[in-house]
Amino acid sequence: MSEVKSFIPIAIPCMGEPEATAAQRVIMSGWVTQGPEVAAFEQEFAAYVGAAHACAVSNCTTALHLALLAVGVKPGDEVITVSHSYIATANSIRYCGATPVFVDIEPQSYNINPLLIADAITARTRAILVVHQMGMPCDLKPILEIAHRHNLPVIEDAACAIGSEVRLNDQWEKIGRAHGDIACFSFHPRKVISTGDGGMLTTNNPEWDQQFRLWRQHGMSVPDTVRHGAKQVIFESYPMLGYNYRMTDIQAAVGREQLKRLPEIVDRRRYLAQRYQADLADLPGLKLPTEPTWAKSNWQSFCVRLPEQSDQLKVMQAMLDAGIATRRGIMCAHREPAYQIETWTCGGKNSPCQCQPGSCDRLLESEQAQDQAILLPLFHQMTESQQDYVVDTLKTACLSPAIA
Ligand SMILES: *Cc1c(COP(=O)(O)O)cnc(C)c1O
């Protein structure tokens, strides 16, 4: 067994001198928020994913909020989504005063099950908010067909999915290109590239893009950059209720450096993911993530479902005792105290479900994925010997009778 003494975390952002230099450049420049660096980051990001517009904001949660507002989600509306996601997905719906309608996932992809969407649509449905969970693209083709049939906008929670690709229109296309109506990205350190915190909205709709720009800066009619450069005095006005969802230029400058590294980061993650696949294939009962022929994940997380007899907590503790961080499967919002029974529904208009606080018979795949899966460390700087050690430790933990 390989000798790795140091702790192996679940993730480490891949940053260094270029990011530090970029941040310093901005600090010394005298313009530190939503200025030229943000504008350049937006352009470069839009070009990378192949979208007409990209608008930078403070994080992905605020991006999701603005996306839902743009497509017209209002109090009393319903938005179809998954419970099995980071809680920000469902929270963004509630910020609009709307109700999340939770649909179950497919057990292999951990993404929304397209077959269950149609039954969750009611007269109050205003949008479909899908997630590319852990960077694995969800099955957009049938989802978009259902949405078009019902004339519903599709918002993509692509928090984890920068660099992921789907095969549509006979070519490989990046997530963030206009597949749905709006895609939302995160630059939290747990994602594939980071700006500390940060988010991005991409769309092909110029009106929505303009709307995002107003909303993110208090609904102010004149951007700072315009007022600053004006030769004549300009008074701004506030035609609508806005927010402070700005990204700073310090973050954007870091983001531009991260974007340059992205292809190399995604290549490395794909290599390490493939290595996990090969080396864990012989662990009895372990279910490995699968990539459909029409998708290429960026492997933001590598999620395995433990053998049935293995106890999730005990396996995770054994890994931690050996100096390896893991995380349990993706959370389910409907099991959290913040999601009291009256704050969400589980779709299925024809037969009301007997939802209990913390459990729902329509969301069993979601609950099982949370309880049976664990996420393994995967980061750009991870060495092959560190990965071998994770593999060996997981095998020992799963095969040990004390842990089963
Ligand atoms: C991380 C994450 C978010 C929230 O992103 P922030 O930038 O932290 O607001 C939303 N949705 C999903 C699926 C995520 O993984």
Side-chain angles (χ1 to χ4, degrees), residues 84-85 108-111 131-137 157 159-161 164 190 192 269 289 297-304 328-330 369 373-375:
H84 185 261
S85 182
Q108 312 81 20
S109 70
Y110 303 95
N111 278 324
V131 183
H132 303 298
Q133 195 55 261
M134 299 180 273
M136 183 65 74
D157 180 343
C160 303
S164 299
R190 182 67 182 83
V192 169
R269 300 187 77 90
S297 182
N298 64 4
W299 299 103
Q300 181 269 341
S301 287
F302 194 86
C303 180
V304 297
R328 67 174 175 171
I330 300 294
I374 68 169
L375 314 190

Side-chain angles (χ1 to χ4, degrees), residues 59-62 64 85-86 88-89 131 133 157 159-160 185-188 191 197-199:
N59 56 64
C60 183
T61 310
T62 54
L64 290 167
S85 182
Y86 188 58
T89 309
V131 183
Q133 195 55 261
D157 180 343
C160 303
F185 294 87
S186 172
F187 308 120
H188 181 270
K191 318 300 183 190
D197 257 312

Side-chain angles (χ1 to χ4, degrees), residues 310-348:
S310 296
D311 182 288
Q312 186 193 45
L313 185 72
K314 286 182 186 164
V315 170
M316 291 177 69
Q317 188 62 51
M319 302 284 285
L320 192 59
D321 292 344
I324 300 167
T326 58
R327 296 286 181 270
R328 67 174 175 171
I330 300 294
M331 67 174 296
C332 292
H334 77 279
R335 295 169 114 182
E336 293 301 320
Y339 278 73
Q340 294 300 305
I341 211 89
E342 66 281 0
T343 61
W344 56 279
T345 74
C346 60

